[in-house]
Amino acid sequence: MSRWSDLTGGSSGASYAARFADLAASGADVHGEARLCASLVPPGSRVLDAGTGTGRVAIRLAELGYTCVGVDLDASMLAEARRTAPEMTWIKADLATLELPDADPFDLVVAAGNVIPLLTHGTEPAAIRALAEVLRPGGLLIAGFGLDAAHLPVPPSVDLAGYDAWCAAAGLSLHQRFATWDGDDYHGGGYAVSVHRRDSTADG
């Protein structure tokens, strides 16, 4: 069981979608992740939203002209994504054993919403390797997640040194690191958004 499943029981899709709908209705900015992704790759790029949840990031990027695929293991979350955007591609899969029906590589993979620390313990390196393998050479993996109890709904399990080591083992090198999805510089702290680039000499 993933930490996410342990936390939610795999039945929180409707409540999760409602919470973000209420935030958007109140005027809150709920598209910071999509905006940062859009600053990294041009419209028309292929984007994989890993741990897509209700599809919030992928749907916004599609509205901005990106070709997006969302993947998640939580059927209740994917049901909300399919209800909101039935024309988009939504795949139920475990990131650690990811197999996609379309072999075309992606320009960017985004893992927002504490996806990495909410994976099943011990599967994180395999998940990162699987995400690296679907990137084109030179493609980007961007992941934002909490590093301490104040920024996580579960006990902290990932630090930046460990995450960078997993990425390096998967053929990814650190490109940029931010403190927020608004692109603020990272100078330490309990939350980080990391951008890693796939080796440009890697096989496509």
Side-chain angles (χ1 to χ4, degrees):
M1 294 282 285
S2 69
R3 295 185 187 97
W4 172 257
S5 296
D6 289 342
L7 185 67
T8 68
S11 60
S12 63
S15 61
Y16 193 88
R19 178 162 67 90
F20 275 94
D22 289 344
L23 284 171
S26 73
D29 178 11
V30 297
H31 294 307
E33 299 101 327
R35 189 166 52 249
L36 183 56
C37 290
S39 75
L40 296 172
V41 292
S45 298
R46 280 175 52 82
V47 176
L48 178 66
D49 187 4
T52 188
T54 60
R56 177 175 52 87
V57 177
I59 291 168
R60 179 56 178 164
L61 285 169
E63 291 171 347
L64 297 175
Y66 293 81
T67 299
C68 298
V69 174
V71 59
D72 206 288
L73 193 56
D74 188 325
S76 73
M77 302 287 270
L78 287 176
E80 295 298 318
R82 292 188 178 107
R83 181 183 61 80
T84 304
E87 74 286 357
M88 292 179 61
T89 300
W90 308 106
I91 298 170
K92 184 176 184 293
D94 187 331
L95 296 183
T97 55
L98 184 62
E99 292 186 9
L100 299 176
D102 184 350
D104 289 343
F106 290 89
D107 301 293
L108 182 141
V109 173
V110 54
N114 284 320
V115 168
I116 303 302
L118 291 172
L119 294 169
T120 302
H121 178 67
T123 67
E124 301 94 340
I128 292 165
R129 185 167 58 250
L131 296 178
E133 288 174 353
V134 302
L135 281 170
R136 65 167 175 79
L140 301 174
L141 168 64
I142 179 169
F145 52 85
L147 302 164
D148 60 23
H151 295 86
L152 285 168
V154 294
S157 60
V158 181
D159 60 29
L160 291 179
Y163 179 67
D164 287 346
W166 295 334
C167 287
L172 302 166
S173 57
L174 183 63
H175 176 58
Q176 291 174 287
R177 179 160 283 146
F178 306 105
T180 68
W181 288 95
D182 289 326
D184 300 315
D185 291 337
Y186 183 76
H187 299 293
Y191 191 88
V193 180
S194 304
V195 183
H196 286 77
R197 186 186 299 278
R198 188 179 182 198
D199 183 350
S200 61
T201 64
D203 294 335

